[in-house]
């Protein structure tokens, strides 16, 4: 009822024209849809009437349809009044259709011209697919990308190919918030009621229809889901970088993920929002809701109750979400999270991941950055795997290693790994943990952004699906489940390295389909050296990681990770 109530005040009719000459660039194959690819393109190929697209001949003024843009508020949308380049069509949204009346007067052209550049669209899909795979709460579903034209969009203030993005229709906190900075253009002043009237109507409707209790329940559900989502972001070292009331849903899922990135430990990287500040966003949204309830309904909510509950839930979920660090799913993480061994390690990790300067930095993360959490993980796992004591004076590292070892002993016993197979579990744990910790740098915006931009600069837009699918493949083996029978050390360019916990062997699969098996991981080093280009994917070199991982598992500290060398050399 609440969502439908807000929708009736937030919808703005937009006249649309059919556009021809479009074609499919990528489609989400995980979604069951009865439409063929041609039907999909035909169904969603629409642009705003009197749009700014370059080729007017492809826009058909005699084929029209009325769709609806969404009015919404909250911080982060400048002088716009809501979705200035998005329309709702049936149960979907089409993004990049051209500017509608919600494009604010005086807004930056990049935020108000109405198009969607192919670079931003591809990045959004890549991070959406990734987060859908690893996040416990998830993301807004993106259904597909449709090519519109070659030069109507803007990227870094230059003309670039324009696309339409078809995505799921969802409810957002911003639908219940005012848009204080909206500057309606003079030519559109007769089209809509004032923003104050919009918000007043929503809250008066809540009062008249006795929906306040439902609203409180919705707020509590929102805060619970956000606590889960954002505590996961903290443990995973992820930043959304634009976490505003319009970029998160009422069920905690995120959207508009084009600026997402993993970050280097201790750095507060961000653009619109940053790593350390993002967990406070749901509380800020709730405070705005409570203010409006008090203003329009003369009810004074017990705000402290909701905010304290959110903080408690954040830390509760953070302990469960430590399972991501080691590759455990939610079910197994929840099972172990009540144990003392788990709590000790999760408390130490959470304290580490909360350390750093709160000052926002725009310095892009790079693979060669010093990451103290990775240093601690690599040194601890080297100590455990090779049965070597930490002699350097570091109380925290010594205690963390002891706690991590106790956790490994408890987990191996609980999961049924005993005797010789216990050794296999330790290897599997090390491989899966270090992949997630170190190879998440592959998904730094620094590298994904560069790869996408370079590809588009060469005019290779028809490779869009290939780029998205290749990144999806990379994420599939980096973020494998800890309990998988085989652990992938690397997979790309037709080459795969795996570790079999069942046979305690390392397997190499070549481009020709051949398979080689090794008991000694050091034997893989010569294979890597023989063809180094096989380990470069989209200009990211996986070979250094593989060589350092091999050295760690072989007890070769001088050739291992920096965290190992700093302690054992």
């Amino acid at each position: 009822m609440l969502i439908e109530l807000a929708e009736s005040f937030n919808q703005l009719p937009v006249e649309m024209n059919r556009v021809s000459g479009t074609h499919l660039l990528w489609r989400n194959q995980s979604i069951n849809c009865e439409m063929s690819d041609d039907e999909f393109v035909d169904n969603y190929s629409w642009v705003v009437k009197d749009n700014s697209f370059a080729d007017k001949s492809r826009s058909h003024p005699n084929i029209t349809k009325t769709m609806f843009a969404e009015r919404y508020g909250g911080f982060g949308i400048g002088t716009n009044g809501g979705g200035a380049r998005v329309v709702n069509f049936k149960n979907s949204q089409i993004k990049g259709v051209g500017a509608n009346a919600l494009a604010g007067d005086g807004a930056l052209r990049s935020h108000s011209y109405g198009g969607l550049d192919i670079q931003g669209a591809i990045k959004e899909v890549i991070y959406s697919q990734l987060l859908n795979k690893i996040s416990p709460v998830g993301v807004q579903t993106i259904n597909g990308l449709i090519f519109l034209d070659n030069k109507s969009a803007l990227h870094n203030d230059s003309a670039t190919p324009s696309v339409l993005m078809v995505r799921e229709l969802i409810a957002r906190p911003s639908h219940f918030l005012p848009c204080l900075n909206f500057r309606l253009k003079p030519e559109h002043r007769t089209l809509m009621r004032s923003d104050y009237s919009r918000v007043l109507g929503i809250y008066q409707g809540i009062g008249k229809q006795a929906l306040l209790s439902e609203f409180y329940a919705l707020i509590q559900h929102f805060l619970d889901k956000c606590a889960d989502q954002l505590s996961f972001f903290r443990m995973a070292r992820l930043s959304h970088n634009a976490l505003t009331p319009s970029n998160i849903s009422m069920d905690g899922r995120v959207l508009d993920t084009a600026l997402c990135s993993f970050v280097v430990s201790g750095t507060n990287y961000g653009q619109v929002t940053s790593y350390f500040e993002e967990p406070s966003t749901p509380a800020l949204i709730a405070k705005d809701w409570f203010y409006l309830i008090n203003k329009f309904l003369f009810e004074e909510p017990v705000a402290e109750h909701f905010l304290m509950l959110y903080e408690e839930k954040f830390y509760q979920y953070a302990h469960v979400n430590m399972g991501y660090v080691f590759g455990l799913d939610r079910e197994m993480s929840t099972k172990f999270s009540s144990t003392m061994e788990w709590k000790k390690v999760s408390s130490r990790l959470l304290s580490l991941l909360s350390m750093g300067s709160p000052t926002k930095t725009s310095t892009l993360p790079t693979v060669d950055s010093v990451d103290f959490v990775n240093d601690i993980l690599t040194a601890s796992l080297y100590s455990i795997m090779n049965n070597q004591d930490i002699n350097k004076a570091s109380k925290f590292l010594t205690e963390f290693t002891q706690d991590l070892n106790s956790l490994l002993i408890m987990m191996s016993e609980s999961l049924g790994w005993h005797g010789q197979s216990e050794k296999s579990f330790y290897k599997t744990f090390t491989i899966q943990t270090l992949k997630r910790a170190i190879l998440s740098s592959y998904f730094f915006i620094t590298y994904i952004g560069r790869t996408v931009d370079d590809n588009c600069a060469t005019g290779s837009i028809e490779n869009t699906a290939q780029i998205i699918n290749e990144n999806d493949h990379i994420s599939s083996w980096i973020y494998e489940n800890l309990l998988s029978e085989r652990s992938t050390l690397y997979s790309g360019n037709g080459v795969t390295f795996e570790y079999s916990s069942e046979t305690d062997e390392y397997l190499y699969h070549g481009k020709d389909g051949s398979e080689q098996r090794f008991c000694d991981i050091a034997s893989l080093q010569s294979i890597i050296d023989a063809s180094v280009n096989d380990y470069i994917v989209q200009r990211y070199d996986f070979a250094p990681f593989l060589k350092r991982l091999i050295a760690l598992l072989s007890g070769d500290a001088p050739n291992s990770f920096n965290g190992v060398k700093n302690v054992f050399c």
Side-chain angles (χ1 to χ4, degrees):
M1 285 289 293
L2 266 172
I3 304 302
E4 291 77 9
L5 169 67
E7 187 179 275
S8 66
F9 287 94
N10 290 329
Q11 287 192 334
L12 177 71
V14 180
E15 292 303 307
M16 308 291 291
N17 291 150
R18 166 76 70 191
V19 61
S20 60
T22 58
H23 65 269
L24 187 69
L25 290 176
W26 169 82
R27 194 168 177 194
N28 192 337
Q29 298 300 322
S30 67
I31 300 172
N32 292 323
C33 182
E34 296 179 355
M35 280 188 284
S36 67
D37 288 350
D38 288 341
E39 289 171 332
F40 181 85
V41 171
D42 186 64
N43 193 52
Y44 294 112
S45 291
W46 297 87
V47 294
V48 172
K49 184 180 179 181
D50 300 324
N51 61 77
S52 61
F53 296 113
D55 189 354
K56 299 292 185 183
S57 66
R58 292 172 44 225
S59 180
H60 302 285
N62 58 325
I63 308 176
T64 64
K65 189 182 291 288
T66 299
M67 299 183 188
F68 294 91
E70 289 184 338
R71 300 185 66 178
Y72 52 73
F75 67 88
I77 59 174
T79 62
N80 290 340
R85 59 176 175 174
V86 180
V87 291
N88 297 346
F89 180 45
K90 297 179 181 178
N91 292 321
S92 300
Q93 289 188 321
I94 314 174
K95 181 178 179 180
V97 295
N100 58 50
L102 296 176
D105 196 12
L108 292 173
R109 184 163 178 249
S110 59
H111 293 166
S112 61
Y113 77 98
L116 174 61
D117 60 287
I118 190 170
Q119 294 91 337
I122 295 175
K123 293 169 197 173
E124 185 169 341
V125 172
I126 288 172
Y127 285 110
S128 176
Q129 296 285 92
L130 170 64
L131 289 171
N132 192 53
K133 192 179 271 99
I134 65 176
S135 163
V137 180
V139 294
Q140 178 191 40
T141 301
I142 300 176
N143 301 328
L145 297 180
I146 298 171
F147 174 78
L148 193 55
D149 70 13
N150 275 313
K151 56 182 180 180
S152 291
L154 292 175
H155 181 67
N156 296 330
D157 294 323
S158 298
T160 197
S162 181
V163 299
L164 299 172
M165 175 183 288
V166 183
R167 64 186 190 182
E168 177 188 8
L169 177 63
I170 59 175
R172 319 183 201 192
S174 54
H175 290 144
F176 296 88
L177 294 174
C179 189
L180 301 177
N181 297 318
F182 180 33
R183 297 181 192 169
L184 184 62
K185 292 179 179 178
E187 62 266 31
H188 298 315
R189 284 177 183 164
T190 60
L191 294 181
M192 66 188 87
R193 67 175 75 196
S194 70
D195 194 70
Y196 179 87
S197 176
R198 173 185 71 87
V199 177
L200 175 63
I202 292 172
Y203 283 85
Q204 284 185 337
I206 291 173
K208 289 176 182 177
Q209 297 182 38
L211 296 174
L212 188 55
S213 294
E214 184 180 331
F215 195 21
Y216 284 144
L218 191 65
I219 293 172
Q220 184 167 326
H221 178 72
F222 168 74
L223 292 173
D224 180 82
K225 288 296 186 179
C226 287
D228 194 358
Q229 180 80 284
L230 296 178
S231 66
F232 166 78
F233 271 50
R234 175 60 57 87
M235 299 305 284
R237 288 178 277 178
L238 263 168
S239 177
H240 182 280
N241 288 317
L243 194 70
T244 64
S246 58
N247 285 344
I248 193 165
S249 71
M250 292 300 293
D251 58 9
R253 289 179 297 156
V254 293
L255 58 148
D256 288 347
T257 55
L259 298 178
C260 275
S261 182
F262 288 91
V263 302
V264 176
S265 301
T267 63
N268 193 27
Y269 174 71
Q271 297 190 34
V272 179
T273 56
S274 63
Y275 175 69
F276 284 130
E277 70 178 305
E278 286 177 355
S280 66
T281 297
L284 295 175
I285 293 171
K287 287 179 181 178
D288 284 343
W289 281 335
F290 297 145
Y291 168 79
L292 295 168
I293 290 170
N294 180 252
K295 179 176 181 177
F296 293 125
L297 300 178
F298 310 105
E299 168 103 1
E300 196 161 343
V302 186
E304 292 77 12
H305 163 76
F306 289 92
L307 300 180
M308 287 178 61
L309 183 63
Y310 171 69
E311 186 174 359
E312 290 173 6
K313 285 286 188 179
F314 181 88
Y315 288 106
Q316 288 174 10
Y317 281 122
H319 289 295
V320 176
N321 283 326
M322 182 184 73
Y324 158 84
V325 177
F326 307 132
L328 281 173
D329 60 24
R330 173 52 65 92
E331 181 181 355
M332 295 305 300
S333 298
T334 302
K335 173 185 174 182
F336 286 128
S337 65
S338 61
T339 66
M340 185 57 64
E341 292 88 348
W342 184 280
K343 290 178 180 178
K344 283 183 177 180
V345 176
S346 64
S347 294
R348 291 188 184 278
L349 272 177
L350 183 57
S351 68
L352 284 174
L353 295 170
S354 300
M355 292 171 58
S357 170
T359 303
K360 185 192 297 185
T361 176
S362 59
T363 302
L364 291 170
T366 59
V367 70
D368 56 354
S369 300
V370 175
D371 191 305
F372 62 82
V373 172
N374 288 352
D375 287 350
I376 289 171
L377 284 171
T378 53
S380 295
L381 287 170
Y382 181 88
S383 172
I384 294 168
M385 288 297 300
N386 297 287
N387 197 27
Q388 290 198 25
D389 294 331
I390 296 171
N391 297 320
K392 290 195 174 181
S394 174
K395 182 181 178 183
F396 182 93
L397 180 59
T398 300
E399 292 179 348
F400 179 84
T401 303
Q402 291 170 350
D403 290 342
L404 183 61
N405 194 36
S406 297
L407 175 63
L408 276 164
I409 293 170
M410 182 274 293
M411 288 175 62
S412 64
E413 292 175 351
S414 298
L415 294 170
W417 300 69
H418 300 288
Q420 179 64 26
S421 63
E422 184 177 16
K423 178 183 177 183
S424 298
F425 174 73
Y426 277 52
K427 289 180 181 179
T428 299
F429 184 93
T430 298
I431 292 167
Q432 300 291 18
T433 298
L434 294 186
K435 277 195 307 183
R436 288 170 175 246
I438 295 167
L439 292 185
S440 285
S441 61
Y442 174 88
F443 288 99
F444 282 169
I445 189 63
T446 321
Y447 304 115
I448 294 298
R450 181 187 65 194
T451 299
V452 172
D453 290 353
D454 288 352
N455 183 77
C456 295
T458 62
S460 305
I461 59 173
E462 299 308 322
N463 292 339
T464 294
Q466 179 183 337
I467 291 176
I468 292 170
N469 293 337
E470 189 165 44
N471 280 284
D472 197 44
H473 170 72
I474 296 289
S475 67
S476 294
W477 66 262
I478 289 179
Y479 303 103
E480 282 177 325
N481 192 297
L482 175 64
L483 303 184
S484 301
E485 181 183 324
R486 292 186 177 182
S487 301
T488 307
L489 283 73
Y490 170 77
S491 180
N493 296 317
V495 170
T496 299
F497 282 125
E498 293 179 314
Y499 170 69
S500 171
S501 57
E502 184 176 352
T503 62
D504 190 23
E505 290 179 308
Y506 298 94
L507 292 79
Y508 169 74
H509 303 276
K511 293 179 180 180
D512 59 358
S514 61
E515 179 182 283
Q516 299 180 52
R517 292 173 174 261
F518 306 91
C519 292
D520 180 14
I521 191 174
S523 302
L524 299 178
Q525 184 66 63
S526 59
I527 296 177
I528 296 172
D529 291 338
S531 186
V532 292
N533 289 334
D534 285 346
Y535 309 98
I536 300 174
V537 180
Q538 296 187 10
R539 293 174 59 186
Y540 185 97
D541 190 357
F542 287 91
F545 166 79
L546 288 170
K547 292 178 180 180
R548 291 162 188 161
L549 178 62
I550 290 170
L552 184 148
L553 293 170
S554 304
D556 179 10
N559 291 308
S560 190
F561 300 98
N562 287 334
V564 175
K565 290 188 283 189
N566 292 340
V567 175
F568 296 98
C569 294

PDB file of all heavy atoms in Angstrom, residues 247-259:
ATOM      1  N   ASN A 247      19.937   5.787  -4.737  1.00  0.00           N
ATOM      2  CA  ASN A 247      20.786   4.705  -5.250  1.00  0.00           C
ATOM      3  C   ASN A 247      20.788   3.474  -4.361  1.00  0.00           C
ATOM      4  O   ASN A 247      21.685   2.632  -4.434  1.00  0.00           O
ATOM      5  CB  ASN A 247      22.219   5.199  -5.460  1.00  0.00           C
ATOM      6  CG  ASN A 247      22.352   6.064  -6.691  1.00  0.00           C
ATOM      7  OD1 ASN A 247      21.471   6.079  -7.549  1.00  0.00           O
ATOM      8  ND2 ASN A 247      23.442   6.807  -6.788  1.00  0.00           N
ATOM      9  N   ILE A 248      19.767   3.387  -3.518  1.00  0.00           N
ATOM     10  CA  ILE A 248      19.572   2.199  -2.702  1.00  0.00           C
ATOM     11  C   ILE A 248      18.076   1.953  -2.646  1.00  0.00           C
ATOM     12  O   ILE A 248      17.275   2.887  -2.734  1.00  0.00           O
ATOM     13  CB  ILE A 248      20.183   2.379  -1.292  1.00  0.00           C
ATOM     14  CG1 ILE A 248      20.275   1.046  -0.560  1.00  0.00           C
ATOM     15  CG2 ILE A 248      19.422   3.415  -0.473  1.00  0.00           C
ATOM     16  CD1 ILE A 248      21.173   1.071   0.659  1.00  0.00           C
ATOM     17  N   SER A 249      17.677   0.698  -2.561  1.00  0.00           N
ATOM     18  CA  SER A 249      16.253   0.376  -2.585  1.00  0.00           C
ATOM     19  C   SER A 249      15.708   0.218  -1.175  1.00  0.00           C
ATOM     20  O   SER A 249      16.464   0.150  -0.197  1.00  0.00           O
ATOM     21  CB  SER A 249      16.016  -0.911  -3.384  1.00  0.00           C
ATOM     22  OG  SER A 249      16.497  -2.028  -2.658  1.00  0.00           O
ATOM     23  N   MET A 250      14.393   0.119  -1.082  1.00  0.00           N
ATOM     24  CA  MET A 250      13.763  -0.040   0.228  1.00  0.00           C
ATOM     25  C   MET A 250      14.075  -1.395   0.852  1.00  0.00           C
ATOM     26  O   MET A 250      13.870  -1.585   2.047  1.00  0.00           O
ATOM     27  CB  MET A 250      12.243   0.135   0.107  1.00  0.00           C
ATOM     28  CG  MET A 250      11.809   1.551  -0.245  1.00  0.00           C
ATOM     29  SD  MET A 250      12.306   2.800   0.966  1.00  0.00           S
ATOM     30  CE  MET A 250      11.333   2.337   2.390  1.00  0.00           C
ATOM     31  N   ASP A 251      14.581  -2.337   0.060  1.00  0.00           N
ATOM     32  CA  ASP A 251      14.977  -3.633   0.625  1.00  0.00           C
ATOM     33  C   ASP A 251      16.500  -3.780   0.718  1.00  0.00           C
ATOM     34  O   ASP A 251      17.021  -4.878   0.837  1.00  0.00           O
ATOM     35  CB  ASP A 251      14.376  -4.792  -0.170  1.00  0.00           C
ATOM     36  CG  ASP A 251      14.776  -4.786  -1.635  1.00  0.00           C
ATOM     37  OD1 ASP A 251      15.649  -3.981  -2.015  1.00  0.00           O
ATOM     38  OD2 ASP A 251      14.213  -5.595  -2.408  1.00  0.00           O
ATOM     39  N   GLY A 252      17.207  -2.637   0.661  1.00  0.00           N
ATOM     40  CA  GLY A 252      18.648  -2.642   0.904  1.00  0.00           C
ATOM     41  C   GLY A 252      19.517  -2.935  -0.294  1.00  0.00           C
ATOM     42  O   GLY A 252      20.742  -2.840  -0.205  1.00  0.00           O
ATOM     43  N   ARG A 253      18.930  -3.282  -1.417  1.00  0.00           N
ATOM     44  CA  ARG A 253      19.740  -3.528  -2.607  1.00  0.00           C
ATOM     45  C   ARG A 253      20.244  -2.200  -3.181  1.00  0.00           C
ATOM     46  O   ARG A 253      19.557  -1.185  -3.087  1.00  0.00           O
ATOM     47  CB  ARG A 253      18.925  -4.280  -3.667  1.00  0.00           C
ATOM     48  CG  ARG A 253      18.637  -5.726  -3.289  1.00  0.00           C
ATOM     49  CD  ARG A 253      17.815  -6.419  -4.357  1.00  0.00           C
ATOM     50  NE  ARG A 253      16.503  -5.802  -4.507  1.00  0.00           N
ATOM     51  CZ  ARG A 253      15.766  -5.871  -5.615  1.00  0.00           C
ATOM     52  NH1 ARG A 253      16.242  -6.491  -6.686  1.00  0.00           N
ATOM     53  NH2 ARG A 253      14.583  -5.309  -5.666  1.00  0.00           N
ATOM     54  N   VAL A 254      21.428  -2.218  -3.765  1.00  0.00           N
ATOM     55  CA  VAL A 254      21.992  -1.003  -4.347  1.00  0.00           C
ATOM     56  C   VAL A 254      21.730  -0.974  -5.846  1.00  0.00           C
ATOM     57  O   VAL A 254      21.441  -1.991  -6.465  1.00  0.00           O
ATOM     58  CB  VAL A 254      23.505  -0.883  -4.072  1.00  0.00           C
ATOM     59  CG1 VAL A 254      23.765  -0.683  -2.584  1.00  0.00           C
ATOM     60  CG2 VAL A 254      24.262  -2.110  -4.598  1.00  0.00           C
ATOM     61  N   LEU A 255      21.828   0.216  -6.425  1.00  0.00           N
ATOM     62  CA  LEU A 255      21.694   0.402  -7.862  1.00  0.00           C
ATOM     63  C   LEU A 255      22.638   1.505  -8.304  1.00  0.00           C
ATOM     64  O   LEU A 255      23.301   2.130  -7.473  1.00  0.00           O
ATOM     65  CB  LEU A 255      20.253   0.719  -8.248  1.00  0.00           C
ATOM     66  CG  LEU A 255      19.582   1.931  -7.622  1.00  0.00           C
ATOM     67  CD1 LEU A 255      18.592   2.542  -8.617  1.00  0.00           C
ATOM     68  CD2 LEU A 255      18.795   1.537  -6.361  1.00  0.00           C
ATOM     69  N   ASP A 256      22.690   1.749  -9.606  1.00  0.00           N
ATOM     70  CA  ASP A 256      23.620   2.739 -10.161  1.00  0.00           C
ATOM     71  C   ASP A 256      25.036   2.482  -9.653  1.00  0.00           C
ATOM     72  O   ASP A 256      25.643   3.301  -8.958  1.00  0.00           O
ATOM     73  CB  ASP A 256      23.164   4.167  -9.824  1.00  0.00           C
ATOM     74  CG  ASP A 256      21.933   4.579 -10.623  1.00  0.00           C
ATOM     75  OD1 ASP A 256      21.593   3.880 -11.588  1.00  0.00           O
ATOM     76  OD2 ASP A 256      21.309   5.584 -10.273  1.00  0.00           O
ATOM     77  N   THR A 257      25.579   1.331 -10.029  1.00  0.00           N
ATOM     78  CA  THR A 257      26.843   0.840  -9.474  1.00  0.00           C
ATOM     79  C   THR A 257      28.069   1.189 -10.320  1.00  0.00           C
ATOM     80  O   THR A 257      29.140   0.625 -10.109  1.00  0.00           O
ATOM     81  CB  THR A 257      26.780  -0.694  -9.323  1.00  0.00           C
ATOM     82  OG1 THR A 257      26.443  -1.269 -10.598  1.00  0.00           O
ATOM     83  CG2 THR A 257      25.718  -1.095  -8.306  1.00  0.00           C
ATOM     84  N   ALA A 258      27.928   2.120 -11.265  1.00  0.00           N
ATOM     85  CA  ALA A 258      29.029   2.403 -12.197  1.00  0.00           C
ATOM     86  C   ALA A 258      30.277   2.943 -11.513  1.00  0.00           C
ATOM     87  O   ALA A 258      31.380   2.851 -12.064  1.00  0.00           O
ATOM     88  CB  ALA A 258      28.568   3.387 -13.266  1.00  0.00           C
ATOM     89  N   LEU A 259      30.142   3.507 -10.315  1.00  0.00           N
ATOM     90  CA  LEU A 259      31.299   4.075  -9.611  1.00  0.00           C
ATOM     91  C   LEU A 259      31.842   3.152  -8.526  1.00  0.00           C
ATOM     92  O   LEU A 259      32.791   3.513  -7.822  1.00  0.00           O
ATOM     93  CB  LEU A 259      30.926   5.428  -8.984  1.00  0.00           C
ATOM     94  CG  LEU A 259      30.502   6.534  -9.948  1.00  0.00           C
ATOM     95  CD1 LEU A 259      30.112   7.792  -9.182  1.00  0.00           C
ATOM     96  CD2 LEU A 259      31.602   6.843 -10.947  1.00  0.00           C
TER      97      LEU A 259
END
